[in-house]
Amino acid sequence: MRMQAFLSIYSLIDWILRGAAMAAQTVAVGGATYFLLTLAPSNASGGGRAALDRFCMRVMFWSATASCVAQLMAAAALTAFLIGSAGADLKTAMSADAITFHVVSACAAFALACVARWPRLWTPWTLVLPSSILIVAHTGLTHAASRTEVSAAMLVAEMLHLLALAAWIGGVPYFVASLRMLGDRESYRFVARRFSAVSFVSVFVVVATGVFMAVPFAGSLGGLYQTNYGLLISTKSVLLIILLCLGAMNFLAIRKLQRDSALTLRSAPIIAETEVGVGLIAIFCAAALAASPLASETSASRPDTADIAKRFELAWPRLESPAFAQPSAVDSPAIEIPVAPRPSTSQPERSAFDIAWSEAHHHYAALIVVAAGLVALFSQSRRIGRFTRNWPALFLVLAGYLFVVADEDAWPLGKIGFFESLATPRIAQHKFMIALIAAFAIYEWRVQLQRFKSQWPSYVFPLTLAAAAAFLLTHYGHTDSKEEVLIEISHTPVALIGVIAAIARWLEIRLPASSLSRVAGIVWPIAFMAGGAFLLLYRETF
């Protein structure tokens, strides 16, 4: 029974472990490239440089250690999956190529952690060698290596893509630390110039190799929006544009500092923090991408433009849900009720009542989100802010509402017990999202009422929102059925708007009072309302 529960949620576990391993690997290898290409050539000296070196090596040690642990856990999970699903014995399961690459990656990450831990081992070669092995081994887990006819050009493109991603996104945390820890003004201007050059080259490599791989993997232009794989590529492209906008803001701030030596660099480290957050979301999208079937090899029927247009057709929200006494097709197959067409055979059929139920609670949730955004926007007013600052309470209402209705076949409305229902990936993901919403509501409500003495609780809101957006962006992609792709198309804009809201709220909190922080304070409530408006268009019928 426990094995069956594990197998049913394996895709979710695999996504989390792959994402964690890739994120930690990016920061660890990014530390090595930052130390070699940006920090080492600096002529900075003194206590600030020594402290910065120690800090960078500590970050590299912990990220490499996290990558090692995540790779070993991913190997163990895959071994259990092969034994449980295919009936393979332990020796056969552990001989799988994917497990070999996981173990090699873990060994390389362990070696990099050892180098970072003991200063006497710090040499260019001891940094380059384990980092290179880590990148090569990770490439073995990607689509470039898993094709029937492996292309050397694709393998090289994948390795360069991972290395450039690490040099750019993985280097940002070390860049932020440099701006804050180097006391010598000339030193951090030198570091800023070097990291800008490295980032510029890395962005070019990321885009060029990404396009080079996306063309054959997507197969056609339609593959970019008619399949889960293509939608994840499109989502990564939008996140890349957001990253470039944030990078441009930092580049302009640094250029302004170089022209006027009297200025202080206050905004650049904070904007760079948002780059790290968006980069992590893009990495988890990449982890979901690696687990999705290629668009060029997908045989499932695809939604055409008419299907997609109908999904966004303006219509009144469905605010009348069917009575719960009306059974679903799954629970009472003997009762004749209309069943919506469902091309995939891997998912249970859903009745018209199931769809009406789902659409109704999506639309009720959308109205609560729109109301929360509107009240939060009014909270910016000094005259009525005392009352409207209680807007997070609306999200607590939303969490309670979703907990009851999101999965009508599970407790408290359905026959499936609470803990039993968590074995179903769809329900487990819903419960996780609801927990995030409730955590956000409680913490942010207390933040708005100024019940905390420290500032860190105010960070829970943007971090929770970013985590929820990342989860929503990778929520689907298990079957690639037509209906599933349409649902992902309707959810992806909401998730991307969530990313924008998280960025704006982070900037509002972290930046000193300025025109940029005031604009950010207006952007995120409007983004809330826009996300709710998109959710009002949610439809499951064709």
Side-chain angles (χ1 to χ4, degrees):
M1 183 65 183
R2 290 180 178 176
M3 177 58 76
Q4 291 301 320
F6 168 78
L7 295 178
S8 64
I9 62 172
Y10 171 74
S11 61
L12 175 62
I13 295 173
D14 182 59
W15 170 70
I16 293 174
L17 292 176
R18 278 173 179 260
M22 190 173 176
Q25 168 191 300
T26 301
V27 176
V29 177
T33 58
Y34 186 84
F35 192 82
L36 294 172
L37 302 178
T38 301
L39 203 53
S42 170
N43 58 359
S45 60
R49 173 58 192 269
L52 178 61
D53 285 351
R54 290 194 297 271
F55 176 84
C56 290
M57 287 302 171
R58 276 201 302 271
V59 173
M60 197 187 309
F61 168 75
W62 285 112
S63 55
T65 301
S67 178
C68 176
V69 172
Q71 293 285 4
L72 291 177
M73 292 179 68
L78 180 55
T79 302
F81 177 77
L82 293 175
I83 294 174
S85 63
D89 56 50
L90 180 61
K91 183 178 179 182
T92 304
M94 292 190 68
S95 65
D97 290 344
I99 292 177
T100 301
F101 286 123
H102 277 306
V103 173
V104 173
S105 296
C107 293
F110 178 75
L112 190 58
C114 290
V115 173
R117 179 66 179 82
W118 287 287
R120 64 178 180 274
L121 299 178
W122 296 0
T123 69
W125 282 111
T126 55
L127 290 173
V128 168
L129 187 60
S131 299
S132 302
I133 296 174
L134 197 50
I135 292 293
V136 172
H138 188 98
T139 303
L141 298 167
T142 63
H143 284 298
S146 62
R147 309 202 73 184
T148 306
E149 296 182 2
V150 179
S151 166
M154 281 291 184
L155 290 176
V156 172
E158 185 69 61
M159 284 187 278
L160 290 175
H161 192 78
L162 293 172
L163 181 61
L165 182 68
W168 176 26
I169 299 301
V172 173
Y174 306 93
F175 177 59
V176 173
S178 299
L179 295 180
R180 289 179 172 157
M181 298 179 71
L182 285 176
D184 180 6
R185 186 181 182 87
E186 184 59 33
S187 295
Y188 75 62
R189 282 201 296 187
F190 175 85
V191 167
R193 284 197 302 270
R194 295 282 302 190
F195 187 65
S196 294
V198 172
S199 299
F200 181 81
V201 174
S202 299
V203 168
F204 175 80
V205 174
V206 166
V207 173
T209 54
V211 172
F212 180 77
M213 292 185 289
V215 171
F217 287 171
S220 65
L221 185 60
L224 291 176
Y225 63 90
Q226 294 175 318
T227 64
N228 285 316
Y229 185 88
L231 286 170
L232 284 169
I233 290 180
S234 303
T235 299
K236 281 186 65 182
S237 301
V238 174
L239 293 175
L240 175 64
I241 293 172
I242 294 174
L243 283 169
L244 291 177
C245 291
L246 293 171
M249 291 170 65
N250 254 348
F251 179 77
L252 293 175
I254 292 170
R255 287 286 299 271
K256 190 174 181 179
L257 178 72
Q258 291 172 347
R259 289 195 301 267
D260 189 348
S261 60
L263 291 177
T264 57
L265 201 59
R266 296 185 300 174
S267 63
I270 296 168
I271 295 173
E273 292 169 358
T274 62
E275 285 188 71
V276 175
V278 178
L280 288 176
I281 294 174
I283 288 171
F284 273 85
C285 281
L289 198 65
S292 298
L294 292 177
S296 59
E297 299 175 355
T298 301
S299 58
S301 62
R302 299 180 176 184
D304 56 26
T305 53
D307 293 329
I308 297 171
K310 195 166 185 177
R311 278 303 168 108
F312 292 100
E313 191 176 62
L314 293 177
W316 287 106
R318 185 194 288 267
L319 299 179
E320 292 184 4
S321 58
F324 183 69
Q326 292 175 307
S328 70
V330 178
D331 292 337
S332 300
I335 300 176
E336 185 177 350
I337 52 179
V339 175
R342 202 167 182 84
S344 170
T345 58
S346 61
Q347 294 287 317
E349 288 187 338
R350 305 183 68 211
S351 72
F353 297 127
D354 294 325
I355 292 174
W357 184 275
S358 176
E359 289 184 356
H361 69 64
H362 273 82
H363 292 166
Y364 273 114
L367 290 176
I368 295 175
V369 172
V370 171
L374 187 61
V375 178
L377 186 62
F378 286 140
S379 70
Q380 303 290 330
S381 167
R382 294 182 180 178
R383 300 182 64 179
I384 59 175
R386 179 181 177 185
F387 304 101
T388 54
R389 66 180 178 175
N390 293 294
W391 61 266
L394 289 168
F395 280 92
L396 204 55
V397 174
L398 175 62
Y401 173 76
L402 291 177
F403 183 78
V404 175
V405 305
D407 302 289
E408 70 276 14
D409 47 351
W411 189 86
L413 296 181
K415 298 176 182 176
I416 308 174
F418 175 75
F419 293 105
E420 185 183 357
S421 70
L422 296 180
T424 304
R426 173 180 58 85
I427 297 178
Q429 290 179 28
H430 286 167
K431 299 303 184 194
F432 182 71
M433 292 291 292
I434 292 167
L436 285 177
I437 294 172
F440 153 73
I442 293 170
Y443 270 90
E444 185 59 21
W445 198 0
R446 291 176 62 84
V447 168
Q448 292 294 324
L449 296 177
Q450 298 180 347
R451 298 292 175 84
F452 295 105
K453 294 182 179 179
S454 60
Q455 191 180 14
W456 72 262
S458 63
Y459 302 149
V460 170
F461 172 13
L463 294 177
T464 303
L465 196 56
F471 212 80
L472 194 57
L473 284 171
T474 54
H475 185 58
Y476 295 93
H478 310 301
T479 67
D480 228 18
S481 68
K482 183 177 178 179
E483 176 65 14
E484 190 178 82
V485 173
L486 284 169
I487 292 175
E488 185 174 358
I489 288 174
S490 61
H491 279 75
T492 297
V494 178
L496 289 173
I497 289 172
V499 173
I500 294 172
I503 293 172
R505 178 59 174 163
W506 184 267
L507 293 178
E508 183 196 20
I509 297 170
R510 298 280 294 150
L511 286 173
S514 62
S515 56
L516 180 58
S517 64
R518 286 190 289 275
V519 170
I522 295 174
V523 167
W524 67 261
I526 294 176
F528 263 25
M529 288 186 280
F534 262 106
L535 204 55
L536 281 173
L537 299 175
Y538 180 80
R539 295 288 185 279
E540 292 190 19
T541 52
F542 290 106

